[in-house]
Amino acid sequence: DGTKKDLVVIKDWSFEWQETYQFKVPVALPAGTRIDVDGIFDNSARNSSNPSNPPRLVGYGEQSTDEMCAAALSLVFEK
């Protein structure tokens, strides 16, 4: 029906939080649900956690100086 709902919001993420998040109660998703993942990487000089000084262009990769936003989703289907 076009309803939008944030499932996970982390406003001040830390590199030390390489975590898996699980809901206490499963979230029911109706048929046709679309799930989007948005990640924002602040590589500016204003970011005190920026590992690059001076700031550099950041792309996706597996190094700690890369953007590593990724999501994995586990689903349980009910009949």
Side-chain angles (χ1 to χ4, degrees):
D1 67 1
T3 300
K4 293 183 179 184
K5 179 179 180 180
D6 291 330
L7 297 177
V8 177
V9 176
I10 304 170
K11 292 188 178 196
D12 191 17
W13 187 81
S14 169
F15 178 78
E16 303 301 321
W17 301 344
Q18 304 290 328
E19 293 289 335
T20 300
Y21 298 90
Q22 296 180 355
F23 296 103
K24 289 181 182 180
V25 177
V27 177
L29 303 173
T33 295
R34 186 178 96 188
I35 298 175
D36 296 320
V37 176
D38 293 319
I40 299 169
F41 186 88
D42 180 2
N43 66 333
S44 71
R46 296 181 308 274
N47 179 2
S48 61
S49 298
N50 187 351
S52 300
N53 189 6
R56 65 172 183 82
L57 182 63
V58 175
Y60 182 80
E62 295 186 9
Q63 301 302 313
S64 60
T65 54
D66 295 330
E67 170 54 60
M68 297 184 291
C69 179
L73 184 65
S74 296
L75 301 172
V76 176
F77 293 93
E78 294 185 358
K79 288 186 176 184

